[in-house]
């Protein structure tokens, strides 16, 4: 049996009186690429935030590398190796690309920035540009690159392809593939671009009402038009 790097056990969480995650349970094997899909509002973002400690658990547990991290603060989880790229593209607009990346370095030497520029050459060309001068795709690359500089062993990506043109989506996916091959990082990708996410991932989870309702190999789910129609409400070409 492959050892899981992350496990959620019966996680219940929400906002105020609203319960969003209803006994959410799943496990991810180390170095796996897992796609998490589901309709709008089913709790995908909340699931990632619960893993990072940005939403408190009402019950259940989050286990990372065998350690119960349920009560740790977000920065402690980041120290342990969890990386998070939020849906909102978390960059500092008033800082340059270089400065944004320096903020992600933690205690690593400055020349580690080269890793980010090798993965995203487009960012290297714009290293002195301010965050506000970047296109949406470039902001997304910067957000991903900054998270990677912290050398996470598990990276959570919340809709990294959202609102981007097809060519830029392809560029990001190429970088994600490269990142997976080079580093053996474990990735959870939440996406509405189901065909592209399933093309990248190995396994897939479908969420509905804050719980896993379907789990399959990514390629099998991509071919399962009935399941996709039922759970995601979309026809995939
Ligand atoms: N900060 C918040 N306060 C109150 N309710 C919230 C908050 N954030 C999300 N919700 C609600 O929780 C539910 C789940 O939201 P969540 O963002 O996790 O869904 P999602 O699956 O990521 O959706 P989407 O595909 O639209 O990004 C939704 O009904 C949403 O309105
Ligand atoms: Mg979301």
């Amino acid at each position: 049996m492959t050892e899981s790097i992350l496990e959620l056990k019966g996680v219940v969480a929400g906002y105020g009186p609203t319960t969003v995650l209803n006994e959410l349970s799943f496990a991810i094997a180390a170095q796996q690429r897992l796609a998490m899909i589901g309709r709008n509002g089913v709790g995908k973002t909340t699931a990632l935030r619960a893993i990072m400690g940005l939403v408190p658990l009402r019950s259940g547990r989050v286990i990372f590398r065998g350690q119960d991290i349920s009560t740790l603060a977000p920065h402690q989880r980041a120290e342990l190796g969890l990386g998070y790229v939020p849906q909102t593209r978390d960059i500092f607009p008033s800082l340059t690309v270089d400065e944004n990346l320096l903020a992600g370095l933690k205690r690593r030497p400055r020349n580690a920035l080269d890793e980010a520029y090798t993965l995203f050459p487009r960012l290297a060309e714009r290293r002195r540009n301010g965050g506000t001068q970047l296109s949406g795709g470039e902001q997304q690359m910067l957000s991903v690159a900054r998270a990677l500089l912290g050398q996470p062993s598990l990276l959570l990506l919340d809709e990294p392809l959202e609102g981007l043109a097809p060519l830029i989506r392809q560029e990001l996916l190429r970088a994600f593939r490269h990142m997976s091959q080079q580093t053996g990082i474990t990735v959870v990708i939440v996406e509405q671009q189901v065909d592209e996410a399933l093309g990248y991932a190995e396994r897939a989870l479908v969420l509905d009402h804050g719980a896993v309702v379907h789990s399959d190999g990514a390629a099998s789910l991509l071919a399962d038009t009935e399941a996709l129609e039922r759970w995601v409400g979309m026809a995939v070409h």
Side-chain angles (χ1 to χ4, degrees):
M1 196 183 87
T2 343
E3 197 184 326
S4 45
I5 186 170
L6 179 81
E7 198 171 353
L8 271 69
K9 292 184 172 181
V11 166
V12 178
Y15 308 94
T18 316
T19 299
V20 176
L21 303 181
N22 287 297
E23 306 255 340
L24 178 64
S25 298
F26 64 89
I28 312 166
Q31 308 202 343
Q32 195 164 57
R33 301 183 300 278
L34 177 74
M36 193 188 282
I37 63 174
R39 294 172 198 266
N40 291 115
V42 297
K44 305 180 298 294
T45 295
T46 306
L48 299 189
R49 299 189 77 219
I51 295 168
M52 279 314 291
L54 297 164
V55 175
L57 304 192
R58 293 187 186 151
S59 59
R61 294 195 293 157
V62 178
I63 312 289
F64 180 61
R65 294 182 141 168
Q67 180 185 353
D68 188 339
I69 61 165
S70 310
T71 59
L72 296 186
H75 74 270
Q76 293 173 304
R77 300 186 198 206
E79 288 287 325
L80 287 176
L82 286 164
Y84 175 48
V85 179
Q87 201 166 354
T88 47
R89 287 172 202 157
D90 179 23
I91 64 159
F92 302 111
S94 60
L95 301 185
T96 65
V97 168
D98 255 346
E99 290 163 343
N100 265 282
L101 291 175
L102 285 172
L105 266 186
K106 297 187 179 170
R107 288 171 292 276
R108 303 184 63 206
R110 197 189 164 100
N111 63 11
L113 254 53
D114 293 345
E115 293 168 13
Y117 291 132
T118 303
L119 192 59
F120 296 110
R122 188 186 278 263
L123 291 181
E125 294 162 22
R126 289 160 182 76
R127 55 193 301 165
R128 317 232 180 280
N129 289 19
T132 49
Q133 294 169 292
L134 302 177
S135 71
E138 290 158 3
Q139 290 181 19
Q140 188 61 263
M141 290 171 194
L142 180 55
S143 192
V144 172
R146 205 184 64 199
L148 284 175
L149 285 174
Q151 296 182 305
S153 48
L154 173 68
L155 183 65
L156 308 170
L157 297 170
D158 198 351
E159 300 207 30
L161 309 178
E162 188 182 18
L164 303 180
L167 279 174
I168 302 291
R169 296 206 299 268
Q170 292 314 314
E171 202 174 319
L172 269 159
L173 283 164
R174 268 199 303 277
F176 295 162
R177 287 198 183 92
H178 192 77
M179 164 186 93
S180 293
Q181 284 161 6
Q182 297 287 307
T183 64
I185 194 172
T186 311
V187 179
V188 179
I189 180 169
V190 166
E191 256 310 327
Q192 303 280 344
Q193 301 294 334
V194 170
D195 45 358
E196 286 168 338
L198 293 180
Y200 165 68
E202 296 160 286
R203 257 190 72 217
L205 297 179
V206 183
L207 261 58
D208 196 26
H209 292 97
V212 175
V213 290
H214 192 76
S215 147
D216 203 349
S220 311
L221 181 58
L222 191 55
D224 190 346
T225 45
E226 197 185 311
L228 286 174
E229 173 72 31
R230 173 160 12 115
W231 299 118
V232 196
M234 62 187 294
V236 178
H237 39 81

